Amino acid sequence: MSRSRVVLVVLFFAAFLVPTSSAQASYSLICSGYSSCTDKGYSNYGYSTHKSTSYWRMYTGTNCTNYVAYRLVTTNGMPNERPKSGVGNAEDWGVAMASITDSTPAVGSVAWWGRTGHHVAYVEKIVSSSEIWVSESNWSGAFDWRKITKSGSGWPDGFIHFTDLTITNKTKPAILGTVKVGATLTASGGTWSPTGSTYAYQWLANGAKIAGATSRTFTPTTAQLKTQLSVRVTATRTSYPATSATSPASLVEPGSITSTSLPGITGEPRVDQKISASTAGRWNPTGNAYTYQWFADGVKVPGATGWTFSPGPALAGKQLTFAVTATRSGYDPVTAVSEPSAATLPGFLSNTTRPYVIGTPRVGSALTARVGSWSKPDLTYAYEWSVDGHVVPGAHGRTFVPRAADVGLPVSVEVSASRPGYETTRAASTQSAAVARGVLSVRTRPTIAGTPRVGSALVASAGTWSATAEYSYRWYAGGVAVSGATGRTFTPTSAQRGKTVYVRVTARKAGYTTASAVSTGTTAVAYGHIRFSTLPRITGTLKAGEVVTLDPGVHTPSAATLRYQWLRDGKVLKGFTGRTRRISSSDAGHLISVRVTASAPGYTTAVVTTAGRRASS
């Protein structure tokens, strides 16, 4: 086709692309002209430099169909190919695309005037259901932006939705950070296609807007505690309708209070003495209230919940710490603990009344310590006795018995009081009077064991005394001391026969006065008994002409006088009174024996006969 013919064809179709005057009613012009609109911030999206290019095979230049096709290709992402053969003249677009044409405007849709005019425009903005903004390129005019209202007859006959502009949320927004009171959270905007030019944020609690919470960051307060927190992100992009997406909701937990400076303790810890906290520490945020608790070696001390605290004796040697728990509405309580103190020192005991000694200071008599009065009960006491200011080794009992070496010297006692958790404290009594000699006294009189008889030993028992002592004895007969009778045993002689015997026991002990005691008297000393421990017997051969001898045996007393009388068949042989005898022939066949008679002063006479022996010829 010749160039002149092409021009005629263009002019023919252009007549159908110019909107009628009725289509221009009820609008206001926002701007006109490529440069003028650009200067005012209303873009032609590059069409001013691409208007010589045909889109969807439309006529080039300033006309409505080529401009709209350009925008649908470059802005809405459609291919540069007519979607349908009937899309040519502007008046035919809505008819050809009736399936996607309706009365609802949308950004990126095509405003179409087919019955009231022959024009298409690109919808840039939906102000409301009765107001839209469009950009357009007019065949007989210029490029412009118009504001169209529904109040007049110029409202489009329809809106063609080839592919409306939308921003699609690909990845949901998210909340970054720990969702709790007082923690600053950051909204992650998610991912969008296409990406938004701007993003707006609205934080929600249980789905409701939080007033003023429109920043990318948000710090929950107690008002949001235990609510479901989410953030709504609205993405905007030029020529696109705003699109919103909401993050998954998270439960707002109580906040965390941070200790920025630990509590402190002042003073030296000692049993029964007050120790104090120097500071409760510092907190972020500050607590609405604080509670206190003291610990010993990490174990809670019951009832120790004040600013000050007096350790009891059970805490001696333990390190103390002071714990402060901060509480604040909407926050979890948090506890901070001071550095441990030095080990708790033992408490002090004091003697309020001096110890003293009761009893008479006398050798052998027990003295007893009295502890006096002390500042604390339930004490354990130890004792140390001294004589004349010198400690007595081993004297650590509550009582002390003065010794012989202590005579004339004073006695005192030092009492040591102790109790777990306290320092041992000592206090001494005053000195006693000088120690006197002890007194020996008999408790059970001496006794005499044995039968009072001449030749029979009597044995003395010293009796019992107030103290163990050394004993000496003196025997008496008929009230007269028996010369030399000073042993524990005494054997009466004929001199004491018929007399009563008693013994005097004298007790002596170092440091004591000497004392004596007398037994009761015995019955009168009786005659003694001469006793043979070995009987007399005849020795030798009893045969006529042989001499036989009498063995007298063994007897007591040994000094007894013996007399002999030989017997034949038990009859006295006159004249035979010696210890020896010659056997005669007349003795043959007879029993020969000897009668022995023993006598001694103070003893009854004793007579024994030997066993008879038969003589032979």
Side-chain angles (χ1 to χ4, degrees), residues 255-266:
S256 298
I257 302 173
T258 302
S259 170
T260 59
S261 176
L262 291 178
I265 297 175
T266 184

Side-chain angles (χ1 to χ4, degrees), residues 301-616:
V301 181
T305 56
W307 187 258
T308 60
F309 165 59
S310 295
L315 305 185
K318 297 183 178 181
Q319 291 181 301
L320 304 180
T321 49
F322 178 63
V324 179
T325 299
T327 57
R328 183 183 176 94
S329 178
Y331 287 75
D332 283 328
V334 67
T335 300
V337 182
S338 70
E339 293 294 331
S341 70
T344 301
L345 298 172
F348 294 117
L349 297 174
S350 59
N351 175 248
T352 55
T353 303
R354 291 181 69 175
Y356 57 96
V357 176
I358 61 172
T360 302
R362 185 189 303 278
V363 173
S365 294
L367 299 175
T368 301
R370 291 287 187 263
V371 298
S373 301
W374 297 81
S375 59
K376 294 289 179 183
D378 304 323
L379 302 180
T380 300
Y381 301 100
Y383 307 90
E384 187 172 75
W385 292 87
S386 296
V387 174
D388 199 26
H390 300 288
V391 174
V392 179
H396 300 301
R398 190 180 178 191
T399 60
F400 171 66
V401 179
R403 308 154 300 173
D406 303 330
V407 171
L409 302 175
V411 176
S412 61
V413 66
E414 185 175 67
V415 176
S416 297
S418 61
R419 179 180 173 182
Y422 291 86
E423 291 184 353
T424 298
T425 303
R426 304 165 72 91
S429 71
T430 58
Q431 290 188 329
S432 71
V435 174
R437 288 184 175 275
V439 176
L440 288 174
S441 59
V442 67
R443 294 177 178 172
T444 304
R445 292 179 66 181
T447 59
I448 297 173
T451 301
R453 185 189 303 276
V454 174
S456 293
L458 300 175
V459 179
S461 171
T464 58
W465 296 78
S466 58
T468 302
E470 294 181 354
Y471 307 104
S472 62
Y473 304 87
R474 166 64 69 180
W475 292 86
Y476 292 82
V480 178
V482 179
S483 177
T486 57
R488 188 182 175 195
T489 62
F490 168 61
T491 302
T493 67
S494 59
Q496 287 85 46
R497 193 193 66 79
K499 297 178 181 179
T500 298
V501 175
Y502 65 88
V503 65
R504 180 186 296 277
V505 177
T506 299
R508 294 178 177 84
K509 186 177 179 70
Y512 290 78
T513 56
T514 300
S516 297
V518 178
S519 72
T520 57
T522 67
T523 58
V525 176
Y527 285 102
H529 296 301
I530 298 175
R531 301 183 185 280
F532 284 87
S533 57
T534 303
L535 292 174
R537 65 187 180 90
I538 297 172
T539 63
T541 304
L542 270 72
K543 186 176 180 181
E546 297 293 330
V547 176
V548 293
T549 302
L550 176 67
D551 179 354
V554 179
H555 52 82
T556 303
S558 59
T561 300
L562 300 179
R563 297 192 307 276
Y564 310 105
Q565 177 59 63
W566 290 80
L567 304 174
R568 178 191 296 145
D569 294 332
K571 295 180 180 180
V572 173
L573 291 173
K574 293 183 180 181
F576 293 96
T577 57
R579 282 187 62 192
T580 62
R581 176 175 177 266
R582 185 180 298 277
I583 300 300
S584 66
S585 57
S586 48
D587 294 326
H590 295 279
L591 290 174
I592 304 301
S593 60
V594 180
R595 180 186 297 145
V596 179
T597 301
S599 60
Y603 289 84
T604 56
T605 299
V607 178
V608 295
T609 301
T610 66
R613 293 179 61 187
R614 195 173 296 278
S616 62

Side-chain angles (χ1 to χ4, degrees), residues 24-37:
Q24 304 298 320
S26 300
Y27 73 89
S28 60
L29 196 63
I30 297 173
C31 67
S32 180
Y34 293 120
S35 297
S36 177
C37 285

